[in-house]
């Protein structure tokens, strides 16, 4: 890359079960990267663009059994396509670092490992919708399922359709995230999220600075 080539942004995602602390850590990470001179955009899924936020409303509210796993996956991918094309890709092209609270690994964990939709079908939808687009780094915050639900319930927000799913479902998706990390070690890192927020952030920062050479 010559000095005239615009610097491309990096795409980082945080993943994990309910209440793992993603939002808390993303805010800290944004501050730390901004202090080092990076332009940082934080966003979330489902949502992150105007259209995707409208689809989010259909996904996080209402009856637990409102969608079958295929319909739910297609809704997440419709939202994701809009989010990537309207927000994430343009920001990366401007050199902005984008940090998203959840992305495609959540579909694999929740709709695949959790709800049992065939993993190869989900991979096929990914390729169809996003092609070769991928994260530069995905950090999975791993936390005991019951502790995560306790933390999430303490917020009482209302967008709780997933939180109301049974404990076995949440345990399956926790194992799903660990399996994703095991099969994609170059792209993913797992952090123990059970400690206090400062300790978790120190572990997150170690991963960011070890894996991304610009930091
Ligand atoms: N979903 C899906 O099924 N498929 C998909 O493809 C995608 C998503 C993209 C969106 O919810 C739902 O959509 C999600 C999966 C599904 N399931 N749910 N619910 P969301 O993203 O809006 O909600 P969430 O992912 O569960 O986020 P959350 O509950 O907001 O959790 P969090 O961001 O990981 O945690 P937090 O808000 O930072 O912290 C939660 C509480 O714990 C809060 O009171 C903190 O102050 C506290 N906290 C944070 N860190 C700590 C530590 N270290 N110790 C103690 N307490 C802490």
């Amino acid at each position: 890359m010559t000095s005239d080539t615009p610097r491309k942004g990096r795409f980082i995602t945080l993943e994990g079960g309910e209440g793992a602390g993603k939002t808390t850590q993303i805010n800290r990470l944004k501050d730390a990267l901004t202090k080092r001179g990076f332009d940082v955009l934080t966003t979330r899924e489902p949502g992150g663009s105007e259209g995707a936020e409208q689809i989010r409303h259909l996904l996080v509210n209402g009856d637990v059994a409102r969608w079958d796993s295929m319909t739910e996956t297609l809704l997440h991918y419709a939202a994701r396509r809009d989010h990537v094309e309207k927000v994430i890709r343009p920001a990366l092209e401007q050199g902005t670092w984008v940090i998203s609270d959840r992305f495609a690994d959540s579909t694999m964990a929740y709709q695949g490992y959790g709800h049992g939709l065939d993993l190869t079908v989900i991979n096929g939808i990914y390729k169809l919708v996003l092609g070769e687009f991928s994260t530069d780094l995905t950090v999975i915050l791993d936390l005991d399922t019951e502790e995560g639900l306790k933390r999430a319930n303490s917020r009482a927000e209302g967008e709780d359709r997933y939180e109301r799913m049974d404990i076995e479902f949440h345990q399956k998706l926790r194992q799903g995230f660990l399996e994703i990390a095991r099969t994609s070690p170059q792209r993913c890192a797992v952090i123990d999220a059970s400690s206090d927020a400062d300790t978790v952030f120190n572990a997150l920062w170690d991963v960011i600075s070890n894996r991304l050479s610009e930091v």
Side-chain angles (χ1 to χ4, degrees), residues 60-91:
V60 298
N61 296 296
D63 278 359
V64 162
R66 139 176 227 193
W67 310 112
D68 73 12
S69 56
M70 176 60 95
T71 309
E72 193 158 319
T73 297
L74 293 171
L75 284 169
H76 277 292
Y77 267 95
R80 185 161 299 132
R81 169 82 190 187
D82 196 65
H83 186 204
V84 169
E85 294 309 319
K86 304 245 176 74
V87 174
I88 299 175
R89 206 191 292 274

Side-chain angles (χ1 to χ4, degrees), residues 18 21-24 56 76 80 102 107 111 155 195:
E18 324 304 287
K22 300 180 298 340
T23 312
T24 305
R56 176 187 176 92
H76 277 292
R80 185 161 299 132
R102 301 192 179 281
T107 312
Q111 284 66 52
R155 287 164 323 163
S195 313

